Amino acid sequence: MTEETVSNQFWWRPAGVIFLIVVYLLLHLVLRGYFSPTLSTDDMFENVFVQELRFGYQVRQPPIYEWMLFGIQRIFGPTIWSFITLKYLLVLGFALFIYGVARQAINDDKLAALAVYSYVALYQIGFNLHEGVTHTAVLLAASGATVYLFLRFLKEGTLGTAVFLGLAVGFGMLSKHSYVLVPTSILLAALSDGYWRSRIRLPLLIVAGVVAAVVYSPYIYWIISGEQPFIGSALNVMRNGAQGTGVVRILTGELRLLLSVLGFSAPFLPLVLLVFFSNLFRGEKKEVSDPIAHAVGQLLQRALFVALALAFIGVVLIGAQYIKERHMHPVLLLLPIVMFYQISLRRYSTRSVVVYSSVLVLLVVVVFGVRIAGFLVPDEEMCGGLCRHMKPFYKLGEQLKVQFPESEQATIVSLDDYTGGNLRVSLPEARHVIHNFRPITPRRQDCFILWDMGDNGAQRTLQEALSSSGFNLNEAPAPDKILALRQIDVSWPHLWKTDSFRTSTFGVAKIEGVSGICR
C-alpha cells in the first residue's frame, strides 16, 4: 500500500474520523473562547441558575445540564470557558456514539464516515449549535448514546448493556422533555420488526427502565414536592400562540411541523439528494454482504419514520403550535445515517464522494469564516444587529467594580438575563438575582439594580426597565431608597472602526439592601 493510498484513506478510517472530529470541535471551542468572553443566548441565565445546586430549576427544562455546568464551573469558574468546554465535550460524545451507530448500519467505511460528517450540513448542528445551545447538547449526547446502547442491548442481551442503556435513557430524560421520542421510536421500531422483536429480553428491558427511573427520580421529586404544574406548563408552552378552532390549530401545527422538518434537514437533504441522485434512484443494487448491518439499517430507517409519525400524531393529540426547527433534533436524529445506509445499498461513484465531501469542507470553512467575521466586525450585516455574543458586558463589570468596589460582595439585581449572567462572570462572589431566579442565600448588606438603557444614546429609565423585566413592580424601590444613581457607557470592539462606533449604556442604582427586590 503506497503512502498516497494511506493518506487518501485517513479521512474515513476510524482513527482519522475521530481525529478530524476532535480537531473540528477544538477549533470552534478555541475560536469562541478567544474572541469573546460574553455569554450569549441561554448561557446567560444558566450562569445565574448554577450559583446553587438544586434538584430542579425550571419546569420546561430538566436539570442535568445545570448539574453538569455546576460541576465544571468548580474548575473554570462562571466564565465562557465552562460553557464551551461542557458543550463540546457533550458534542464529542454525540459524534462518537453516532459514528458507532453508523458503522453498525453502513457496511462501508467511507459512507459511514460521510454519514457522521454530514451532521455539519444540518444548519441547527453545523452552525446554530455553536451559539445558544445548552440542554440540546445533552440531548444530542444522550440520544446518540441511547441508540448505540440499544443496538448493543439487542445484539448482546446482557445485564451490563441493560444497565448502561438505562443510564443513557435516564440522562436523556433529564436533558429535554422531547428526548422521549428517541427511545420510544427505536423501541417501537424494534417491536414492529420480527427479527429484532425476538431479540428483546423483557426482564432486561425492565432493568433498563428501573435504572432510568432512578436516574430521573430527583427531578420528579422536585416536581412533586414543589407542586410544579408540570403537564399544564408543558402544554401551555407547546400551545403558545394557538388560535382558532381545533381543526385550524391542528392544521397550523402540522404545517409548522412540516416546515420545521424541512428546515432542519437543510442544506443536508437537498445536497445529498443532488449529489447522489443517480445512485439513489438509478444505481445498481448490491448484494447484501452483511445481513446484520442491513438489519440495523432497516431498524434505524423504521425508527426515523416512527419518530416522524409520533411527532405528527402528537400535534393532533395536543394541538401544539410552538414548533421550531431547533426542536427537531430528536425527530430527525438518524436522518444522515439513514440516507447513507440507502446509498450503501447501491453502487456509487468515487466522483460523488469527492464532490460531496468537498462541499462539506466548503460548508465548514464558510461557517468558520462567518463566525470569525461576526467576532471581528459586530455590525448588523455580520451578526444580525443584536450581536449579543460581542456585547462588552465585561467592560460593564470592570467599571462597576471601579465605581462601586462594594459591588463585588453585594446583591446584584439584573433586570434582564443577559446582564445578569454576564455580570456573574465579572463579579463571581456577588449574589445575583434575575426575575425567575433568587438564590436561597441571605441578602447582602449592599444591593444594586442594573439595567440595559440601550445603545447609541438610548435612555431607558429604571421604571421602564422594571415594567418589562418580569419583577413584581411592588418590589421596586421608592425614590428615597435609591442611594446612588449612575450610568455606565461601554464601547464595542471592531476590527477597523473607532471605539465609539457603537456604545451601550447601562443604568446602575444602588439601593438599600433591605429593599424587597433584593431579597
Side-chain angles (χ1 to χ4, degrees):
M1 184 178 294
T2 67
E3 184 177 342
E4 182 181 358
T5 303
V6 173
S7 176
N8 290 337
Q9 291 180 350
F10 177 74
W11 68 268
W12 51 267
R13 292 301 187 193
V17 173
I18 294 171
F19 175 80
L20 291 175
I21 290 171
V22 170
V23 169
Y24 168 80
L25 296 177
L26 272 176
L27 286 174
H28 274 290
L29 184 152
V30 173
L31 176 72
R32 180 62 173 90
Y34 173 77
F35 275 110
S36 176
T38 299
L39 304 181
S40 189
T41 305
D42 292 349
D43 291 344
M44 71 298 183
F45 60 76
E46 296 291 350
N47 210 29
V48 179
F49 287 172
V50 296
Q51 292 176 89
E52 299 172 349
L53 187 61
R54 299 183 177 182
F55 282 140
Y57 296 86
Q58 47 186 338
V59 175
R60 68 184 185 88
Q61 299 276 33
I64 195 168
Y65 177 80
E66 287 86 356
W67 296 347
M68 291 179 173
L69 184 62
F70 181 89
I72 207 164
Q73 286 196 352
R74 307 284 75 75
I75 302 171
F76 294 98
T79 66
I80 187 64
W81 294 104
S82 67
F83 288 89
I84 58 178
T85 300
L86 176 57
K87 176 193 294 185
Y88 288 113
L89 283 174
L90 289 167
V91 175
L92 175 61
F94 163 71
L96 295 179
F97 279 121
I98 215 70
Y99 180 47
V101 172
R103 284 177 58 81
Q104 293 184 67
I106 303 170
N107 190 30
D108 184 310
D109 285 349
K110 286 184 182 179
L111 296 184
L114 283 180
V116 72
Y117 293 149
S118 292
Y119 284 86
V120 302
L122 297 171
Y123 174 81
Q124 292 296 328
I125 294 178
F127 185 83
N128 200 45
L129 174 144
H130 301 295
E131 292 290 342
V133 167
T134 52
H135 296 77
T136 300
V138 190
L139 168 69
L140 286 172
S143 298
T146 298
V147 177
Y148 176 80
L149 291 168
F150 187 73
L151 294 177
R152 292 283 301 273
F153 171 77
L154 291 176
K155 290 179 177 181
E156 299 175 16
T158 63
L159 179 61
T161 57
V163 171
F164 281 111
L165 175 61
L167 289 172
V169 173
F171 286 130
M173 293 295 292
L174 287 170
S175 63
K176 298 191 78 166
H177 301 309
S178 59
Y179 161 83
V180 70
L181 280 172
V182 175
T184 302
S185 61
I186 192 72
L187 177 60
L188 289 178
L191 290 172
S192 65
D193 184 296
Y195 173 78
W196 293 113
R197 184 170 60 249
S198 66
R199 301 186 69 86
I200 295 176
R201 302 291 182 264
L202 183 58
L204 292 178
L205 193 63
I206 293 174
V207 169
V210 170
V211 172
V214 171
V215 174
Y216 191 53
S217 61
Y219 181 58
I220 292 297
Y221 170 78
W222 179 74
I223 293 289
I224 295 173
S225 63
E227 300 181 356
Q228 307 289 339
F230 179 70
I231 301 298
S233 175
L235 290 176
N236 287 338
V237 170
M238 290 185 286
R239 291 172 177 170
N240 184 41
Q243 296 178 354
T245 63
V247 174
V248 172
R249 286 199 304 272
I250 290 172
L251 291 177
T252 301
E254 298 289 12
L255 178 60
R256 290 179 179 174
L257 176 58
L258 177 61
L259 293 175
S260 296
V261 166
L262 295 175
F264 185 92
S265 304
F268 163 73
L269 191 57
L271 174 63
V272 76
L273 289 175
L274 178 65
V275 175
F276 290 96
F277 182 87
S278 60
N279 162 258
L280 282 167
F281 300 102
R282 295 197 296 266
E284 177 188 353
K285 284 192 174 183
K286 296 189 295 187
E287 183 179 346
V288 175
S289 59
D290 187 341
I292 299 299
H294 181 63
V296 171
Q298 290 287 309
L299 174 65
L300 299 182
Q301 181 172 272
R302 186 170 298 198
L304 174 62
F305 291 139
V306 171
L308 283 164
L310 290 175
F312 281 95
I313 292 170
V315 170
V316 174
L317 295 178
I318 64 178
Q321 288 194 339
Y322 185 68
I323 304 169
K324 305 289 184 181
E325 286 181 25
R326 63 178 184 270
H327 301 151
M328 295 297 105
H329 297 81
V331 178
L332 297 174
L333 176 78
L334 299 173
L335 178 61
I337 295 178
V338 169
M339 290 303 301
F340 278 94
Y341 159 72
Q342 282 294 325
I343 292 169
S344 73
L345 298 179
R346 295 171 172 82
R347 303 194 182 280
Y348 61 89
S349 67
T350 303
R351 180 177 177 274
S352 296
V353 171
V354 171
V355 170
Y356 183 78
S357 57
S358 299
V359 174
L360 289 185
V361 171
L362 179 61
L363 284 175
V364 169
V365 171
V366 168
V367 169
F368 271 109
V370 170
R371 295 196 73 207
I372 291 172
F375 289 126
L376 296 177
V377 187
D379 291 328
E380 183 173 355
E381 296 78 14
M382 292 297 182
C383 53
L386 292 175
C387 301
R388 289 189 173 117
H389 63 287
M390 289 302 293
K391 195 160 188 171
F393 289 102
Y394 61 94
K395 293 185 179 180
L396 167 64
E398 291 169 357
Q399 292 196 38
L400 184 62
K401 287 188 288 187
V402 170
Q403 296 187 33
F404 297 98
E406 67 273 23
S407 63
E408 295 190 60
Q409 300 293 330
T411 293
I412 306 294
V413 180
S414 299
L415 301 188
D416 70 272
D417 297 341
Y418 287 93
T419 301
N422 281 284
L423 279 178
R424 185 169 177 248
V425 177
S426 300
L427 305 166
E429 300 302 321
R431 176 178 177 269
H432 294 269
V433 174
I434 55 178
H435 75 95
N436 60 345
F437 185 86
R438 294 178 184 272
I440 60 175
T441 54
R443 67 179 83 193
R444 307 288 177 82
Q445 179 179 351
D446 298 302
C447 183
F448 294 84
I449 299 177
L450 283 99
W451 71 99
D452 192 335
M453 299 179 72
D455 292 350
N456 299 327
Q459 293 292 315
R460 191 163 175 244
T461 66
L462 172 59
Q463 190 61 34
E464 291 171 339
L466 276 166
S467 64
S468 60
S469 66
F471 281 95
N472 186 340
L473 292 180
N474 294 329
E475 295 180 333
D480 61 334
K481 301 297 183 182
I482 298 178
L483 307 178
L485 190 62
R486 296 182 192 173
Q487 71 177 46
I488 295 177
D489 298 320
V490 294
S491 58
W492 288 55
H494 197 283
L495 183 60
W496 65 79
K497 293 182 180 179
T498 63
D499 285 346
S500 59
F501 96 99
R502 185 172 182 178
T503 301
S504 292
T505 302
F506 295 88
V508 182
K510 181 177 181 179
I511 63 176
E512 295 182 353
V514 295
S515 299
I517 201 169
C518 302
R519 63 179 174 83

